[in-house]
């Protein structure tokens, strides 16, 4: 049992603090000044406290706490171990930056009042904390459902718009289908003991069949929350509908609670993993990653593009977890630890750069009122702060060194490539193919991010109203700066993060993560001779090259600056219509990966007075899977609905027939 002042008590106190902030928002629910300048900054302080305590407690012995609340004989069990602390560290640091940004972002509008938004926002943070702390199925499901409901109300804050209500319904539907699978998974894990604490599940003796059923249910349930294909359809609808700080929290943090749940079930509650579980996750993850990035390349809505990019990154994380399961099953602990560290590090990295980019799109949205990439452009000169910080996030998510996205993808590639000792030859043949798919995905991600940044911030404004665009406010800049600094620090100094990840690896795999060159500057997961990376030296080298180039240019050209119009291929006037569009960027990818899409084209005829060409790109899975399923559910409901006539005599007849059937069964 935890003592007063122990880390787990602090974690619980921060969750209660966030809940209290939400309730305080209702006291003056229409006061932007009170909520924005006082409550949201206090929420950021809560995030910092949570992160600091988690950072200090990650190497400590696991602590437990029993709360006398809940149902009779079903109190809430809480636990803080290395896995919990890592994800709480992620939640706290990222939530601090988002809360600071949100302090300057939310304005009075036509949707929910600021006080109600404040309540839902902080309830969302508190529920995610409790999900990570829960140590029994009952507490976990209560926190999980609270998280789903609070995020649903945040997504539908502009509930008067029909598209937003539909997006919220789709999100809630898939969230609850996933929750049912998780509940069934816990039902299997209790193994007939009817004890639903995680401690009882750890000691349950499951056969391999039941263990596999539990794993598949967990993959389905947590995959639905994470956005694993084909359960991804809610993501591109919910993110554009939600306010940008909420999109950042959902993509940056909430998706990681699904990764946490899968890790908790697979490595902590189930004792034995089977190699094909890992291969299944690797296949699903890589397909999800490729599917997400290909769809991101053809998007014309900036938030929808980022939502598909989240699907891609979740795929990379699931592939890393799958690789860790396979290596663990093959008794290859060192490689399993590297793959697990790559997945966890990518969780942390994605939380930073994706939150940064969602917040940057929020600033663009406030300044221009546009989400359509075809109506943006040339914002770098009008929004220099947002453009500069978004450039860091764009380079990080594209996997460019020395920023954080490169480190985790490089680690995962090392885990894929150092696999010649796997005992099954066909697995040895498949894993290099996985490495090739990972590289293809990373290359396409770079392509997508060039489109994202180039179309929004470079070139000339495509609409006259963009001339009036203004930069973000001070609090918004501070939140963006916090997340951008995280992208740089995690990229330049990943070795200290390795020490944290080693505690998680030791807890889940009984194997610490080895750095074969114990240096702050050099990362060598296998051995320094075979593969090593020194991000700090890389970073310093880039700075030196830039400095030398600057000095040489200054000396050769004597510091003279000559301004001239850019070369325009001989056209008399350079206009925004000459710039490449979002559709133009996506056209080659659309042609190459045409089988992924369901395309509808409207072609002009030679006799049209006003020729018109339109191409509509849709998700093939939506039409092949979800629409037929929805039709089947509708028809079933109509059949069942015929039982209802509104006549009491008919209902009495139903009761009588049911009673007769039951008596026949019993007698």
């Amino acid at each position: 049992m935890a003592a007063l002042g122990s880390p787990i008590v602090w974690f619980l106190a921060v969750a209660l603090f966030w809940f209290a902030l939400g309730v305080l928002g209702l006291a003056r629910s229409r006061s932007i000044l009170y909520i924005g300048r006082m409550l949201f900054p206090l929420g950021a302080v809560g995030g910092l406290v949570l992160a600091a305590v988690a950072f200090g407690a990650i190497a400590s012995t696991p602590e437990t706490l029993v709360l006398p609340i809940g149902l009779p004989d079903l109190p809430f069990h809480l636990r803080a171990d290395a896995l919990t602390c890592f994800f709480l560290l992620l939640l706290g640091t990222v939530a601090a930056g988002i809360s600071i940004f949100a302090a300057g972002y939310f304005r009075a509008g036509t949707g929910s009042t600021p006080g109600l938004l404040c309540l839902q926002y902080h309830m969302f943070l508190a529920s995610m904390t409790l999900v990570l702390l829960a140590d029994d199925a009952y507490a976990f499901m209560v926190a999980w459902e609270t998280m789903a409901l609070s995020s649903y109300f945040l997504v539908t804050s502009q509930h008067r718009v029909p598209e937003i209500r539909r997006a919220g319904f789709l999100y809630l539907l898939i969230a609850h289908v996933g929750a049912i699978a998780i509940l069934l998974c816990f039902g299997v894990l209790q193994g007939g003991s009817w004890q639903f604490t995680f401690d009882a599940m750890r000691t349950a003796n499951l056969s391999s069949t039941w263990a596999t059923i539990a794993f598949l249910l967990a993959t389905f349930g947590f995959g639905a929350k994470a956005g694993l294909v084909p359960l991804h359809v809610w993501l591109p609808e919910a993110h554009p509908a939600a306010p940008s700080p909420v999109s950042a929290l959902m993509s940056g943090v909430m998706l990681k609670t699904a990764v946490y749940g899968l890790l908790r079930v697979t490595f902590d509650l189930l004792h034995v993993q089977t190699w094909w579980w890992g291969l299944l996750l690797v296949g699903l993850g890589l397909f999800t990653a490729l599917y997400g990035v290909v769809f991101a390349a053809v998007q014309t809505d900036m938030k929808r593009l980022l939502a598909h990019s989240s699907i891609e990154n979740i795929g990379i994380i699931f592939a890393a977890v799958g690789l860790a399961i396979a290596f663990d099953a093959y008794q290859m602990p060192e490689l399993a630890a590297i793959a697990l560290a790559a997945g966890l590090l990518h969780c942390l990295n994605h939380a930073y750069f994706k939150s940064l980019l969602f917040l940057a799109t929020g600033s663009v949205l406030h300044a221009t009122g546009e989400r359509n990439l075809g109506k943006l452009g040339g914002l770098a000169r009008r929004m220099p702060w947002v453009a500069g910080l978004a450039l860091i996030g764009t380079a990080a998510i594209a996997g460019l060194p020395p920023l954080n996205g490169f480190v985790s993808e490089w680690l995962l590639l090392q885990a894929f490539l150092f696999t010649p000792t796997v005992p099954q030859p066909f697995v040895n043949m498949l894993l290099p193919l996985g490495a090739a798919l990972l590289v293809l995905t990373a290359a396409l991600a770079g392509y997508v991010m060039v489109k994202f940044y180039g179309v929004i911030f470079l070139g000339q404004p495509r609409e006259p109203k963009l001339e009036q665009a203004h930069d973000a406010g001070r609090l918004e800049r501070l939140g963006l700066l916090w997340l951008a600094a995280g992208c740089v620090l995690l990229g330049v100094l990943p070795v200290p993060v390795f020490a944290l990840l080693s505690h998680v690896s030791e807890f889940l795999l009984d194997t610490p993560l080895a750095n074969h060159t114990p240096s702050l500057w050099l990362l060598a997961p296998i051995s320094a001779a075979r593969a090593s990376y020194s991000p700090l030296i890389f970073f310093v080298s880039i700075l030196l090259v830039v400095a030398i180039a600057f000095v040489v240019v200054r000396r050769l050209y004597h510091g003279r600056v000559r301004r001239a119009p850019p070369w325009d291929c001989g056209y008399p006037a350079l206009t925004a219509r000459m710039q490449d569009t979002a559709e133009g960027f996506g056209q080659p990818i659309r042609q190459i990966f045409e089988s992924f899409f369901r395309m509808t084209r409207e072609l002009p005829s030679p006799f049209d007075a006003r020729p018109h060409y339109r191409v509509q790109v849709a998700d093939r899975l939506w039409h092949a899977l979800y629409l037929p399923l929805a039709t089947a559910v509708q028809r079933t409901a109509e059949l069942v609905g015929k039982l209802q006539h509104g006549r009491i005599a008919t209902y009495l007849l139903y009761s009588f027939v049911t009673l007769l059937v039951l008596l026949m069964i019993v007698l």
Side-chain angles (χ1 to χ4, degrees):
M1 183 65 68
L4 192 65
S6 61
I8 194 169
V9 175
W10 275 98
F11 297 146
L12 185 62
V14 171
L16 294 175
F17 175 68
W18 273 333
F19 178 72
L21 285 181
V23 174
L24 285 174
L26 298 177
R28 296 169 63 187
S29 64
R30 296 189 181 278
S31 172
I32 292 289
L33 194 64
Y34 165 67
I35 291 166
R37 300 296 183 268
M38 183 182 294
L39 298 187
F40 274 101
L42 284 175
V45 172
L48 290 177
V49 171
L50 188 77
V53 178
F55 180 81
I58 197 166
S60 306
T61 306
E63 291 182 339
T64 59
L65 185 66
V66 179
L67 298 179
I69 57 175
L71 297 176
D73 297 329
L74 277 176
F76 278 12
H77 295 77
L78 305 181
R79 175 186 167 103
D81 49 35
L83 182 64
T84 303
C85 289
F86 174 77
F87 280 93
L88 286 175
L89 175 66
L90 183 156
L91 166 62
T93 52
V94 175
I98 296 173
S99 295
I100 285 291
F101 181 90
Y105 181 82
F106 286 120
R107 295 152 168 84
T110 55
S112 303
T113 60
L116 202 53
L117 277 175
C118 178
L119 172 66
Q120 293 157 357
Y121 179 90
H122 290 99
M123 184 76 81
F124 188 30
L125 291 177
S127 60
M128 285 193 287
T129 307
L130 292 177
V131 164
L132 300 175
L133 287 173
D135 197 35
D136 65 71
Y138 176 54
F140 187 93
M141 293 309 301
V142 169
W144 189 264
E145 286 299 294
T146 308
M147 178 178 75
L149 286 175
S150 54
S151 54
Y152 163 75
F153 286 118
L154 284 167
V155 167
T156 56
S157 57
Q158 298 284 340
H159 51 83
R160 290 184 178 84
V161 181
E163 290 81 8
I164 290 180
R165 288 201 300 272
R166 280 197 292 272
F169 174 74
L170 181 63
Y171 166 56
L172 200 62
L173 179 67
I174 294 185
H176 280 87
V177 169
I180 291 170
I182 295 169
L183 194 60
L184 292 174
C185 171
F186 288 141
V188 173
L189 285 172
Q190 54 84 25
S193 66
W194 298 106
Q195 298 294 316
F196 290 92
T197 63
F198 287 175
D199 269 344
M201 295 178 189
R202 289 185 186 98
T203 57
N205 187 20
L206 294 180
S207 66
S208 60
T209 304
W210 282 113
T212 299
I213 291 171
F215 170 76
L216 294 177
L217 285 169
T219 303
F220 183 89
F222 293 117
K225 179 62 81 176
L228 202 65
V229 173
L231 304 166
H232 64 290
V233 290
W234 65 269
L235 263 160
E237 304 300 325
H239 281 314
S244 290
V246 177
S247 300
L249 263 187
M250 291 177 71
S251 182
V253 183
M254 188 190 76
L255 300 187
K256 310 308 179 310
T257 60
V259 179
Y260 162 83
L262 185 65
L263 290 173
R264 175 68 72 188
V265 169
T266 307
F267 289 102
D268 187 23
L269 304 185
L270 289 170
H271 294 290
V272 180
Q273 291 84 40
T274 307
W275 61 268
W276 69 265
W277 296 3
L279 289 191
L280 175 69
L281 272 195
V282 170
L284 277 175
L286 289 175
F287 181 70
T288 299
L290 188 59
Y291 202 87
V293 76
V294 165
F295 270 86
V298 299
Q299 298 305 312
T300 55
D301 181 299
M302 60 182 178
K303 292 187 77 174
R304 194 177 284 270
L305 182 151
L306 292 180
H308 279 100
S309 170
S310 291
I311 296 171
E312 171 227 331
N313 283 279
I314 281 295
I316 292 174
I317 293 167
F318 270 68
V321 173
L323 209 54
I325 294 172
F327 287 142
D328 195 42
Y330 286 131
Q331 302 295 314
M332 302 169 73
E334 191 173 356
L335 284 175
I338 292 171
L340 180 66
L344 291 172
L345 189 56
H346 204 68
C347 284
L348 191 60
N349 292 338
H350 181 252
Y352 272 90
F353 54 62
K354 188 49 64 68
S355 301
L356 172 61
L357 292 178
F358 265 120
L359 297 186
T361 59
S363 294
V364 170
L365 192 58
H366 264 180
T368 65
E370 279 294 343
R371 285 195 339 230
N372 190 334
L373 291 170
K375 296 183 179 179
L376 294 171
L379 291 178
R381 278 178 287 178
R382 289 155 189 83
M383 304 179 71
W385 270 90
V386 176
L389 296 172
L391 181 60
I392 294 175
T394 304
I397 198 171
L400 296 181
L403 299 173
N404 58 347
F406 175 79
V407 181
S408 49
E409 292 184 5
W410 178 81
L411 263 183
L412 182 56
L413 195 59
Q414 299 306 313
F416 266 113
L417 294 178
F418 287 103
T419 55
T421 54
V422 172
Q424 288 173 294
F426 81 96
V427 178
N428 278 329
M429 295 170 61
L430 285 178
L431 290 180
L433 178 63
L437 283 175
L438 178 66
V439 172
L440 174 62
T441 303
L444 288 173
Y447 180 90
V448 170
M449 286 303 125
V450 169
K451 166 185 168 178
F452 172 80
Y453 191 84
V455 172
I456 296 175
F457 293 106
L458 303 183
Q460 295 187 16
R462 290 179 171 84
E463 297 282 332
K465 66 179 180 181
L466 300 185
E467 299 287 349
Q468 308 303 321
H470 54 82
D471 214 341
R474 289 181 182 175
L475 287 172
E476 293 170 79
R477 290 182 204 173
L478 187 58
L480 293 171
L481 192 61
W482 172 266
L483 296 169
C487 293
V488 175
L489 285 177
L490 287 171
V492 175
L493 292 172
V495 177
V497 184
F498 245 52
L500 298 178
L501 297 176
S502 183
H503 297 298
V504 183
S505 175
E506 193 167 5
F507 170 69
L508 294 180
L509 302 171
D510 293 328
T511 304
L513 193 59
N515 184 9
H516 290 270
T517 303
S519 162
L520 186 63
W521 324 117
L522 192 64
L523 194 59
I526 306 292
S527 71
R530 300 182 69 180
S532 62
Y533 171 57
S534 179
L536 191 59
I537 293 175
F538 198 95
F539 183 57
V540 171
S541 301
I542 291 175
L543 291 182
L544 280 177
V545 168
V546 172
I548 290 170
F550 179 77
V551 171
V552 168
V553 169
R554 293 276 297 182
R555 289 184 67 85
L556 287 180
Y557 292 97
H558 310 290
R560 290 175 300 174
V561 176
R562 185 168 67 90
R563 294 188 181 276
W567 183 56
D568 55 2
C569 303
Y571 284 97
L574 191 67
T575 69
R577 285 177 59 81
M578 297 176 185
Q579 298 171 169
D580 206 352
T581 61
E583 292 84 355
F585 263 106
Q587 195 269 347
I589 301 298
R590 206 175 63 219
Q591 294 292 330
I592 296 170
F593 296 95
E594 188 170 353
S595 57
F596 279 65
F597 309 116
R598 186 179 186 274
M599 287 195 285
T600 309
R601 286 189 177 91
E602 293 180 19
L603 300 175
S605 80
F607 308 103
D608 284 346
R610 301 181 64 183
H612 183 74
Y613 172 78
R614 191 177 74 162
V615 57
Q616 189 172 11
V617 179
D619 192 333
R620 194 176 285 279
L621 284 173
W622 177 256
H623 292 269
L625 178 64
Y626 286 91
L627 289 184
L629 190 62
T631 305
V633 170
Q634 180 69 29
R635 288 179 180 170
T636 306
E638 288 171 358
L639 284 175
V640 174
K642 292 180 180 177
L643 297 174
Q644 184 186 14
H645 298 285
R647 299 178 199 158
I648 293 179
T650 306
Y651 299 144
L652 289 175
L653 179 63
Y654 293 156
S655 302
F656 180 68
V657 171
T658 304
L659 184 61
L660 283 180
V661 170
L662 290 175
L663 284 173
M664 289 170 64
I665 293 173
V666 172
L667 297 177

